[in-house]
Amino acid sequence: MAAPRKVCVVGSGNWGSAIAKIVGVNAARWDTFDATVNMWVFEEMVGGRKLTEIINTDHENVKYLPGHKLPPNVVAVPDLAEAVKGADILLFVVPHQFIVRVCDTIKEHIKKDAVGMSLIKGVDEGPDGLKLISDVIRGKLGIAMTVLMGANIANEVADEKLCETTIGCKDKVNGPILKELMQTPNFRVTVVEESDVVEICGALKNIVAVGAGFCDGLGFGDNTKAAVIRLGLMEMIAFAKVFCTNCQVHPATFLESCGVADLITTCYGGRNRKIAEAFAKTGKTIEQLEKEMLNGQKLQGPATAAEVNHILKNKNMVDKFPLFNAVYQICFNGHPVTEFINCLQNHPEHM
């Protein structure tokens, strides 16, 4: 029988802590996994105590997931290199801005045959255009990579409300093992092979959610918001077809949780929608609102819009993605948010 696989959660924000709760329970339940799950925690002081000490003593991440007990076998480790040591499965749940630094720190300390899973919703720019976060990690660490994306608002997952998620895994051996690690009666997992499409969905839906938030802030109502969601989905599919040159893009993948479900959830809940609504109502900058409203968490939508815009410019295709472009122009170039509606009226879909 194979030795039990050791799991490490790299990151401990809202989503990282919710995932650690699931993984901790499953690792203790199944012989496939080592019962102890390390979770890397960026050390900070909360109420005069170290956050790692609070998590390891009180089994609660009081800063990022208050009110939820973590299983006692989830161990908070402040030293990143120490946390990943000996891990067979690495779950990456940090803001995408920090992933390169994280990889540089751990690359000499991980097992060469470890399997990585990215739960990070964002994209990066490579010299040839779009670079998926899983590709960044694979390039830095040289390990096999998978992804997990879905309609998964962290607090609802932690509350054990029923939801679905999608694992993108090209390897038929690792897929079932990762499903066993992640699935619970209320967190239902589907495994698909199109991991690139799964990951692109996770990144792009945050741009659409910013657009949905603009609609809410401008008081446009549900019909307009539905149009934003539909046109946003069309742009997501079109973007995937242009940029996933190394794999087939099956429309069915967009019907998985990573696609339309995640898009709807994010456009009605989630931080990108919330901040965009406040942006449209208050006239404050995105940075200001992020500081005021997110308790130290990072916003992915505007950053992803900037990276996507850069990529589309290089391909001379900005005009084919008017919704993505409008979000970028409003967030970064001072275009009035009231003009967002023009991108819907003049969308190629309507021509």
Side-chain angles (χ1 to χ4, degrees), residues 33-327:
F33 308 105
D34 187 302
T36 301
V37 173
N38 282 359
M39 176 170 74
W40 173 58
V41 175
F42 181 79
E43 191 68 281
E44 50 191 308
M45 301 301 287
V46 180
R49 294 169 73 195
K50 289 179 175 174
L51 184 54
T52 52
E53 183 210 316
I54 296 170
I55 292 170
N56 290 333
T57 308
D58 304 342
H59 307 298
E60 184 182 348
N61 187 337
V62 291
K63 176 151 188 190
Y64 296 111
L65 195 67
H68 292 281
K69 286 289 178 196
L70 295 173
N73 57 315
V74 172
V75 178
V77 182
D79 183 297
L80 177 52
E82 194 57 41
V84 301
K85 212 166 275 179
D88 300 289
I89 299 171
L90 297 161
L91 308 177
F92 293 93
V93 209
V94 294
H96 84 285
Q97 299 92 317
F98 304 137
I99 194 60
V100 170
R101 203 182 320 157
V102 164
C103 289
D104 286 342
T105 305
I106 68 174
K107 64 180 169 203
E108 302 304 325
H109 303 276
I110 60 166
K111 292 173 83 165
K112 296 293 167 244
D113 61 349
V115 174
M117 177 186 275
S118 173
L119 291 83
I120 301 167
K121 293 175 176 176
V123 289
D124 206 3
E125 286 176 54
D128 307 318
L130 177 76
K131 195 155 192 199
L132 300 172
I133 300 299
S134 63
D135 288 337
V136 173
I137 299 170
R138 189 184 293 109
K140 284 273 177 190
L141 303 180
I143 60 174
M145 282 302 298
T146 62
V147 298
L148 180 145
M149 305 278 152
N152 308 144
I153 289 175
N155 285 31
E156 294 185 14
V157 172
D159 281 335
E160 298 179 30
K161 292 178 176 165
L162 178 68
C163 69
E164 301 174 318
T165 200
T166 311
I167 290 177
C169 178
K170 292 169 184 164
D171 182 317
K172 286 185 166 60
V173 175
N174 288 327
I177 294 163
L178 295 168
K179 179 169 180 169
E180 186 178 45
L181 178 64
M182 305 311 271
Q183 179 150 285
T184 73
N186 291 313
F187 192 67
R188 310 307 296 169
V189 177
T190 303
V191 181
V192 301
E193 285 185 35
E194 287 185 346
S195 58
D196 291 359
V197 178
V198 171
E199 190 169 0
I200 277 180
C201 285
L204 298 183
K205 55 97 196 189
N206 283 329
I207 307 177
V208 186
V210 173
F214 291 159
C215 275
D216 290 342
L218 296 166
F220 281 139
D222 286 338
N223 291 346
T224 309
K225 193 158 152 181
V228 168
I229 293 170
R230 190 188 76 81
L231 293 168
L233 181 61
M234 299 304 286
E235 290 193 16
M236 286 167 61
I237 295 169
F239 191 94
K241 283 180 175 165
V242 170
F243 292 97
C244 283
T245 46
N246 59 345
C247 71
Q248 277 267 244
V249 176
H250 295 293
T253 305
F254 293 89
L255 299 178
E256 295 292 348
S257 182
C258 61
V260 70
D262 195 9
L263 179 61
I264 292 166
T265 299
T266 314
C267 287
Y268 278 90
R271 63 187 87 150
N272 289 282
R273 188 218 62 80
K274 187 165 102 177
I275 295 277
E277 179 182 24
F279 176 88
K281 281 181 172 169
T282 65
K284 292 180 180 178
T285 65
I286 295 283
E287 291 76 19
Q288 258 177 302
L289 293 165
E290 193 177 53
K291 278 199 187 84
E292 287 173 20
M293 297 170 69
L294 289 188
N295 190 27
Q297 293 182 99
K298 291 286 170 204
L299 202 63
Q300 303 291 9
T304 305
E307 282 148 5
V308 163
N309 189 266
H310 186 81
I311 291 158
L312 290 172
K313 258 192 195 131
N314 286 346
K315 297 261 185 186
N316 210 14
M317 294 181 76
V318 172
D319 294 347
K320 290 186 163 52
F321 296 85
L323 194 147
F324 288 176
N325 186 41
V327 169

Side-chain angles (χ1 to χ4, degrees), residues 327-345:
V327 169
Y328 168 73
Q329 297 297 345
I330 290 163
C331 289
F332 294 100
N333 289 345
H335 280 223
V337 70
T338 46
E339 285 184 15
F340 178 65
I341 208 68
N342 296 348
C343 89
L344 306 181
Q345 290 163 337

